[in-house]
Amino acid sequence: MNFLAHLHLSGDDPDILTGNMMGDFVKGRLEGRFPPRVTLGLELHRRIDSFAARHPAFQASRRRIEPRFGLYRGVMVDLFYDHFLAANWRQYSAEPIEAFIACSEAVVRSRAVHLPERLVRVVPAIFGEWLPSYAEHEGIDRVLRRMAVRVGRPNPLADGADELLRCYDGLRDDFSRFYPALMTFSEEFIGKVDR
């Protein structure tokens, strides 16, 4: 999943939210590197990614995308699912998305001491540009074009937003089957560690 889903799936614990947000920027063993609840957020991030990779709806979404996108199909599905989450936010949260993004940013910034430097550099763009634009095709297009440049080698990501439009109904249906199951999975993980 991409940033919006990871934030949304963190429950109401600021440290878990911070760790979940950091997941793509922290590699290797976690023991002793971060406070315990931030570590739980990092573990949750990894479990969410594993759950997604194995889920039949996520796999179906990857297969919908043209084979020429290769290994980038998973990255694209992550971002497309954030689009569907943003576009249908009221279905998954009572809190307005703008308020959720602002609150999440405040939490992440308040725990900046734990953030990897690479994440610190992109926090303004994540909360100021990317997340607020995810509900629109144009926003997804901009993010994919930026990602294509950052990869640093030839890749097809700049054309990826066309796949969102081409496969829209099928991807939306896959997301509708997938996301409630992922919400339950995340809630159960957090519930187990809080017992």
Side-chain angles (χ1 to χ4, degrees):
M1 294 297 90
N2 211 276
F3 294 118
L4 184 61
H6 279 290
L7 292 168
H8 181 245
L9 295 166
S10 296
D12 58 5
D13 184 305
D15 286 334
I16 289 178
L17 183 142
T18 302
N20 203 349
M21 176 76 181
M22 292 164 48
D24 288 333
F25 298 84
V26 175
K27 306 301 179 200
R29 297 173 59 110
L30 300 176
E31 293 81 13
R33 293 172 61 189
F34 303 99
R37 302 293 285 186
V38 173
T39 299
L40 285 173
L42 285 157
E43 289 174 4
L44 175 60
H45 183 107
R46 291 176 179 185
R47 289 178 189 230
I48 286 169
D49 285 354
S50 294
F51 179 93
R54 292 189 314 268
H55 197 278
F58 190 91
Q59 292 173 354
S61 289
R62 288 189 70 218
R63 288 190 300 272
R64 290 182 194 283
I65 296 171
E66 287 186 8
R68 73 183 180 94
F69 288 95
L71 295 175
Y72 295 107
R73 290 183 290 182
V75 173
M76 291 164 64
V77 172
D78 281 348
L79 188 57
F80 295 165
Y81 278 13
D82 260 13
H83 162 74
F84 292 114
L85 177 57
N88 301 285
W89 183 259
R90 286 188 222 157
Q91 188 175 334
Y92 300 102
S93 178
E95 182 179 16
I97 192 168
E98 299 81 6
F100 176 79
I101 291 170
C103 181
S104 297
E105 179 179 17
V107 167
V108 169
R109 286 184 181 275
S110 74
R111 285 155 175 76
V113 66
H114 304 304
L115 303 182
E117 183 57 37
R118 283 179 39 237
L119 177 55
V120 170
R121 287 195 302 267
V122 295
V123 160
I126 290 170
F127 290 103
E129 300 169 36
W130 304 351
L131 296 182
S133 74
Y134 277 1
E136 305 299 326
H137 173 264
E138 295 77 14
I140 298 300
D141 184 51
R142 280 193 302 275
V143 170
L144 283 169
R145 288 180 185 280
R146 285 188 190 120
M147 288 171 70
V149 172
R150 284 199 322 268
V151 168
R153 60 183 177 275
N155 67 78
L157 283 172
D159 301 326
D162 293 341
E163 289 297 284
L164 175 60
L165 293 181
R166 187 180 72 78
C167 307
Y168 200 88
D169 291 343
L171 290 167
R172 183 189 57 219
D173 293 346
D174 295 340
F175 174 79
S176 296
R177 289 195 324 273
F178 168 80
Y179 199 68
L182 181 57
M183 288 176 67
T184 299
F185 173 84
S186 299
E187 289 165 6
E188 288 175 353
F189 173 82
I190 293 169
K192 284 178 189 169
V193 299
D194 283 342
R195 283 189 197 135

